[in-house]
Amino acid sequence: MDLSEPIARHKHAWPQRYPESARLHAAATQVLPGGNTRSVLFHDPFPLVMASGKGCRLRDVDGNEYRDFLGEFTAGVYGHSHPVIRQAIVDALDGGINLTGHTRLEVELARQIQARLPSLERLRFTNSGTEANLMAVAVAKVHTGRSRLLAFHGGYHGGLLGFVNGPSAVNVPHEVGLAHYNDIASVEAEFAQYASHIAAVLIEPMQGSGGCLPADPEFLHQVAELARQHGALLIFDEVMTSRLSPGGRQGQLGIRPDLTTVGKYLGGGLSFGAFGGRADIMQRFDPREPGALPHAGTFNNNVLSMAAGIAGLTKVLTPEACEALNARGDRLREALNLRFREHDVPMVFSGLGSLMNLHAAREAPRCAAELPADNGPVRDLFFFHMIESGYYLARRGFVVLSLPLEDDDIDGFLAATDVFLERYGKALGAG
């Protein structure tokens, strides 16, 4: 299928449709490389510049309004400026931003997270999921006295530990072996060769940035057992998947990892991360102990993230709200995939609950090796169409639901998809 002509039309019209974004992007290139300080936000011909957000609505600097179906790449589960979150932040501001000491808030947030993820017998806060994963890997190596990390092709564990397109050039220099996701034989092969060197297996229960590829439950149980047999620690990266149920994906599957990393929405949508797990492992950070591991971070326990996180978990993202949000996501994904099948187009959304990603295929891929080589054009065309229809999503086809979205927002997204299929069905290869 050749989609170059309709994509070219969209790109040609882009500067005329968004002149203020174009002007601001040009100005940004004078101080930021490519006008960008967060790689995922860039796309050609230039990204939109947002001016404000409220609930599930975004407004760009050209005055266009969008229904937000990206939710800050999973961090924005509460939507924009949720009144409860906002009030918690205001109250925290009134008490002082940087208190240069411990506060009562950090203990309460830790308790709230532990209540949902009991495997975090002890935990520590960071400023991001990236930091959380780096610290989890570091303590795993110290605890086991081993040097090697086992991760997976297509995995993403932050800006310094990514394997979506192979190992990133800016990755920290850990010794890393890569197995194939959803392929237990490849994991067994790694252990057969390096068992005495593998400190930890680092895995996402669903590869998020790699395309919303869920791990088969049996595969995850087998990985957990292999790690246990060989004395390696199991690290679940639940920075994204912890929002899939009140107890995260580990709660759904009944797997208790040795260490877990979380982030994003658990800090109320502010800068936040955390890592934790077995008490005997985390005890290595106890500053009362001789030779305790260091873990610095000026803003690890900043009062804004602590206050926002407590308010979000106790007053907004209740277990019932979490379950309802993910059920809504399942229904949307099923409705979209039904439309693609009825129109006989090679398109499918993979994912779980409120997280999903578009692929140019008839069946959802299960690992990085199965990702379609021609994903780009289909995702580009869908992205441009949905943006111009007033629905904001990622250029790579990533769709994330947030709590403020209502039935009419979901219906509108489906209606815009219907128009897309009617308009481009033949070009997409419909029968």
Side-chain angles (χ1 to χ4, degrees):
M1 54 186 169
D2 183 8
L3 304 178
S4 57
E5 183 179 344
I7 291 173
R9 288 200 304 268
H10 282 289
K11 287 185 177 180
H12 179 75
W14 196 258
Q16 287 73 46
R17 295 179 66 93
Y18 312 107
E20 185 61 9
S21 280
R23 186 188 71 80
L24 290 173
H25 175 68
T29 62
Q30 302 304 305
V31 289
L32 301 169
N36 178 266
T37 190
R38 183 183 175 194
S39 298
V40 73
L41 297 181
F42 180 80
H43 61 78
D44 67 323
F46 55 84
L48 299 181
V49 178
M50 293 299 163
S52 63
K54 186 175 183 180
C56 65
R57 299 292 197 273
L58 288 167
R59 183 173 294 274
D60 69 22
V61 291
D62 288 288
N64 301 296
E65 188 173 273
Y66 309 89
R67 302 184 195 200
D68 185 0
F69 275 76
L70 182 52
E72 191 51 272
F73 292 83
T74 78
V77 70
Y78 301 112
H80 306 281
S81 301
H82 191 288
V84 171
I85 305 291
R86 189 178 187 281
Q87 188 59 53
I89 293 171
V90 170
D91 292 343
L93 283 171
D94 288 342
I97 298 177
N98 300 320
L99 301 180
T100 326
H102 289 286
T103 74
R104 288 173 293 182
L105 295 176
E106 61 205 75
V107 177
E108 179 58 25
L109 180 56
R111 285 174 174 161
Q112 292 298 329
I113 294 173
Q114 188 185 70
R116 299 204 179 199
L117 297 164
S119 70
L120 277 71
E121 296 171 5
R122 298 290 186 276
L123 64 151
R124 291 181 72 92
F125 297 132
T126 64
N127 292 283
S128 67
T130 297
E131 290 182 26
N133 279 310
L134 292 175
M135 293 304 301
V137 170
V139 72
K141 291 173 70 173
V142 172
H143 189 75
T144 61
R146 299 176 179 181
S147 61
R148 189 175 178 87
L149 175 67
L150 178 56
F152 293 83
H153 292 284
Y156 181 80
H157 309 283
L160 300 176
L161 207 56
F163 309 98
V164 172
N165 297 305
S168 168
V170 298
N171 276 358
V172 291
H174 287 301
E175 178 189 346
V176 180
L178 293 178
H180 296 287
Y181 203 65
N182 278 324
D183 179 359
I184 196 61
S186 71
V187 182
E188 292 171 336
E190 281 287 323
F191 274 109
Q193 186 169 1
Y194 300 106
S196 63
H197 300 278
I198 297 175
V201 179
L202 176 61
I203 188 168
E204 300 164 89
M206 178 179 72
Q207 290 189 335
S209 296
C212 286
L213 310 181
D216 297 335
E218 182 181 5
F219 170 73
L220 285 177
H221 280 279
Q222 291 172 325
V223 169
E225 180 59 22
L226 279 171
R228 187 193 65 78
Q229 290 176 3
H230 294 286
L233 301 185
L234 177 64
I235 306 175
F236 261 19
D237 178 346
E238 292 231 50
V239 172
M240 285 192 181
T241 59
S242 61
R243 56 176 277 165
L244 292 178
S245 84
R249 187 62 173 154
Q250 59 188 260
Q252 290 179 316
L253 299 177
I255 297 176
R256 192 179 180 97
D258 299 295
L259 292 167
T260 298
T261 59
V262 294
K264 297 185 181 283
Y265 74 94
L266 287 169
L270 302 185
S271 299
F272 179 78
F275 68 103
R278 282 169 33 195
D280 63 310
I281 299 172
M282 295 301 294
Q283 191 71 14
R284 290 180 174 273
F285 291 101
D286 187 338
R288 301 170 299 179
E289 300 291 332
L293 294 178
H295 172 220
T298 302
F299 299 105
N300 285 351
N301 65 335
N302 78 86
V303 298
L304 300 187
S305 294
M306 302 294 103
I310 293 166
L313 289 178
T314 60
K315 300 178 181 179
V316 186
L317 190 65
T318 62
E320 295 76 17
C322 182
E323 296 284 8
L325 176 65
N326 286 291
R328 170 170 277 166
D330 285 333
R331 291 193 297 271
L332 173 60
R333 187 174 57 259
E334 291 165 4
L336 289 164
N337 288 339
L338 176 61
R339 282 162 164 78
F340 298 149
R341 290 193 297 270
E342 290 176 342
H343 283 79
D344 192 25
V345 297
M347 296 174 65
V348 64
F349 271 98
S350 64
L352 293 169
S354 55
L355 312 178
M356 61 197 79
N357 211 108
L358 178 65
H359 303 280
R362 296 185 186 277
E363 298 294 332
R366 299 177 61 251
C367 63
E370 295 181 6
L371 291 173
D374 59 348
N375 254 339
V378 171
R379 290 172 172 177
D380 283 352
L381 189 58
F382 189 74
F383 168 81
F384 283 123
H385 170 81
M386 296 303 284
I387 288 290
E388 292 176 10
S389 301
Y391 296 87
Y392 191 73
L393 67 158
R395 180 73 171 265
R396 68 175 190 240
F398 191 31
V399 170
V400 179
L401 303 192
S402 60
L403 291 170
L405 288 168
E406 298 181 351
D407 288 345
D408 67 320
D409 302 308
I410 302 296
D411 292 343
F413 191 93
L414 290 170
T417 302
D418 289 336
V419 174
F420 173 84
L421 293 170
E422 293 166 4
R423 186 173 297 170
Y424 301 113
K426 290 184 179 179
L428 289 164

